[in-house]
Amino acid sequence: MDIPSLWRELERVLTPMLAEFRSKRSLRVERKADATLLSEADEAVQAQIIRSVRAVDPDGVILGEEGAHGRDLLRGCSSTGRIWIIDPIDGTAQFVKADGREFCSVVCLVEDHRPVAAFVLAPEIGPDRTPVCVRLNGQGHAIEINGRQVAGLAATDEPQTVSVTRSSGTQERSYEQQLTSHGYRLKTRTTSQTLDMVRVCVDLSPFTEPALEPFGLFFRRRQKIWDGAAGLCFAFAAGLFVADGSGRPRTEIDIELGLEDPVFDSTLIATDSVAAQIVVAASEV
């Protein structure tokens, strides 16, 4: 299977498609049962991604966040061991805002419980709102940003910004105060969880405007599979510390994907071991 060609095709078809929806004066938007937003763009983009994936893999299982296209289509027609996880627009709340930028389309290929390839298209985070595409073509490959191979971020012990996002209205957690007291800057407002995870793995700042600085840590409780699979894929490729909130290492996708809405109890990736220890210690209390 030619994964690089699939990623290029998705970038080619999704970039103008997302731009067209963004230019609409009136976009149909609904609120789902979990209080997150669903727009007509989410449904259309997911349908296009499914068509592109089916063109190269007719039998693989597809798990899409938006279920409007039918359970049978999403679940695939045979058990090949390949699972495609799709989030058509991660950060829909940003997508529906005229000044929003931090949203992306996400595809992750999982084989035998291990995420092995990933595609993230953020169409407006580059200079003059140009696209930035982050790709991994398979195990053993380097992460690419806009076609350029990049190295994973190195471990650091210098306090920096960390992503510890939580749902709107959620109370501050104890580790937030502890991180702040150690000199860390916190991002607690959710935009795109996938982009936050990418920013722990690689330095996006040379490709973005305004520059999206790297994070030393990403932590999220109750993370849906659509929001986390690609980020885990990049984290494994970058050689990062990947664990759950108790500090137990995660080496694969260790949740049941046959559920209607697969959710990780918690997800932690980090280049900063001090920040990771603070979060884990507070989470164990």
Side-chain angles (χ1 to χ4, degrees), residues 114-268:
R114 179 89 178 183
V116 297
F119 166 90
V120 174
L121 174 64
E124 295 187 18
I125 62 173
D128 299 321
R129 291 186 175 265
T130 53
V132 172
C133 189
V134 187
R135 301 185 299 231
L136 182 69
N137 295 326
Q139 287 184 298
H141 290 256
I143 298 171
E144 299 178 2
I145 303 177
N146 288 353
R148 185 192 310 175
Q149 291 188 359
V150 296
L153 289 170
T156 178
D157 56 5
E158 291 293 324
Q160 52 193 306
T161 303
V162 295
S163 173
V164 287
T165 60
R166 46 188 163 89
S167 300
S168 177
T170 304
Q171 291 185 336
E172 180 179 293
R173 290 74 53 96
S174 61
Y175 53 77
E176 293 181 30
Q177 293 183 359
Q178 295 178 42
L179 287 167
T180 301
S181 69
H182 282 76
Y184 290 94
R185 301 177 299 277
L186 310 186
K187 181 193 177 190
T188 58
R189 184 176 65 88
T190 304
T191 49
S192 162
Q193 292 181 47
T194 298
L195 285 178
D196 280 11
M197 295 176 81
V198 168
R199 290 166 65 179
V200 183
C201 302
V202 293
D203 186 1
L204 284 180
S205 60
F207 303 88
T208 57
E209 186 180 291
L212 296 179
E213 64 177 317
F215 291 137
L217 171 142
F218 172 91
F219 180 67
R220 180 82 180 189
R221 287 202 177 280
R222 303 295 300 166
Q223 187 186 38
K224 297 180 180 180
I225 188 67
W226 344 103
D227 299 321
L232 290 177
C233 188
F234 291 122
F236 290 138
L240 301 190
F241 176 68
V242 181
D244 62 16
S246 67
R248 181 178 63 88
R250 175 174 287 139
T251 59
E252 61 183 24
I253 292 181
D254 53 0
I255 59 175
E256 175 55 57
L257 294 180
L259 301 176
E260 191 69 28
D261 195 16
V263 174
F264 294 109
D265 179 66
S266 54
T267 301
L268 171 66

